[in-house]
Amino acid sequence: MPVKKRTPWLEASYAALPLCLSYIPVGLACGMLLQKAGFNILLTALLSMLVFSGGAQFLVVSMISVHASFVSTILMVFFLELRYALLGSSLSQFFKKEKRPFIALFSQSMNDENYAVNYLKYSTDPEWNRKKALYVNWFSMASWTTSTVLGTIFGSVIHVDTELVHFALTAMFIFMFMMQLSNGLLLATGLLSGGLAVIFMLVFKNTFGLILATLLASFIGYLIERIRKTANTNNDGPDHYDLTGGEVHHE
């Protein structure tokens, strides 16, 4: 007797279930912090659906808590979320035949976790398709949005010490920074960015210093990486060639 195939939404729900469950505690905490920062249920839901990034939403809370300007908050979120350009480019190989409206719809609901699920499924499951991938995005976004909204509701009836916000956010971003480390240059760039942020905040007395520190440190890191690659390329080449075309090296 042939095994009955699961419908696309059911198969996607099985794939997205671990994400949906993992979002509940983090989403509740995020919603409670958003409520303390002045967000109501509607604003929390809109932020969760339009941004759909735990790191970005925690960053919004952090920026609001230090009374950052709207422009500074938008720019900081923009730089934080630039990684999605790289994630999207690696996933684009599976969407070469898709039209732009679908790609735009899919991109709006993509985040780190459902990207990983879809990339793994596309790489290992020949029957995985655009509909299942989009369902994974939507299920995970629904779980996150519901959790943050419930957190906002709980935040209105449960007292939360807002002083914990700074500790929790600092710990989270330190963890995110450590997860990105793969070599000494990234570590040096991160430390340089932190040092410059402190200096620029003292000089400008404004959160614009954070943006300037991020851009300057990233540019310096990029220049060092380019110089290193150029030096390695030059060192890998031969010293000179003899008349027969043979390679000759100096000892």
Side-chain angles (χ1 to χ4, degrees), residues 25-116:
V26 182
L28 289 173
C30 183
M32 295 175 72
L33 294 178
L34 287 172
Q35 193 276 331
K36 297 304 178 184
F39 281 68
N40 57 29
I41 295 175
L42 178 59
L43 289 178
T44 297
L46 287 175
L47 183 66
S48 298
M49 289 186 292
L50 295 178
V51 178
F52 189 28
S53 170
Q57 290 178 235
F58 279 112
L59 177 61
V60 168
V61 175
S62 179
M63 298 295 283
I64 291 176
S65 66
V66 297
H67 307 289
S69 66
F70 178 77
V71 174
S72 296
T73 303
I74 292 296
L75 288 176
M76 289 299 294
V77 170
F78 172 77
F79 290 123
L80 178 65
E81 303 299 273
L82 274 178
R83 68 187 185 278
Y84 287 132
L86 299 177
L87 298 181
S89 63
S90 66
L91 202 60
S92 62
Q93 58 182 306
F94 306 112
F95 296 99
K96 293 180 179 179
K97 297 182 180 179
E98 302 298 339
K99 296 181 179 179
R100 290 183 179 179
F102 173 80
I103 294 176
L105 182 65
F106 181 88
S107 301
Q108 188 278 326
S109 56
M110 186 188 78
N111 71 351
D112 300 87
E113 293 78 23
N114 58 40
Y115 156 81

Side-chain angles (χ1 to χ4, degrees), residues 189 192 212-226:
T189 303
L192 176 62
L212 185 59
T214 302
L215 291 176
L216 186 57
S218 299
F219 182 67
I220 293 174
Y222 168 76
L223 288 180
I224 295 175
E225 181 68 18
R226 288 297 300 266

Side-chain angles (χ1 to χ4, degrees), residues 88-233:
S89 63
S90 66
L91 202 60
S92 62
Q93 58 182 306
F94 306 112
F95 296 99
K96 293 180 179 179
K97 297 182 180 179
E98 302 298 339
K99 296 181 179 179
R100 290 183 179 179
F102 173 80
I103 294 176
L105 182 65
F106 181 88
S107 301
Q108 188 278 326
S109 56
M110 186 188 78
N111 71 351
D112 300 87
E113 293 78 23
N114 58 40
Y115 156 81
V117 171
N118 279 321
Y119 189 89
L120 178 63
K121 283 292 187 178
Y122 269 115
S123 301
T124 59
D125 186 354
E127 295 185 358
W128 196 254
N129 54 44
R130 51 174 272 178
K131 184 178 292 187
K132 298 175 184 178
L134 188 60
Y135 278 140
V136 167
N137 286 13
W138 284 355
F139 284 139
S140 58
M141 185 168 66
S143 174
W144 173 256
T145 303
T146 302
S147 299
T148 55
V149 168
L150 289 176
T152 300
I153 296 174
F154 293 156
S156 61
V157 296
I158 301 176
H159 174 71
V160 178
D161 187 357
T162 54
E163 292 298 323
L164 296 176
V165 174
H166 301 286
F167 172 79
L169 294 178
T170 301
M172 185 190 71
F173 283 112
I174 289 176
F175 173 77
M176 291 176 65
F177 171 66
M178 297 304 296
M179 288 294 292
Q180 298 297 319
L181 292 181
S182 59
N183 55 54
L185 179 59
L186 289 178
L187 175 61
T189 303
L191 294 176
L192 176 62
S193 178
L196 291 176
V198 174
I199 295 173
F200 291 156
M201 285 288 288
L202 293 174
V203 172
F204 295 107
K205 307 293 185 181
N206 192 284
T207 51
F208 175 74
L210 298 175
I211 301 171
L212 185 59
T214 302
L215 291 176
L216 186 57
S218 299
F219 182 67
I220 293 174
Y222 168 76
L223 288 180
I224 295 175
E225 181 68 18
R226 288 297 300 266
I227 293 172
R228 287 173 53 182
K229 287 183 178 180
T230 302
N232 291 335
T233 301

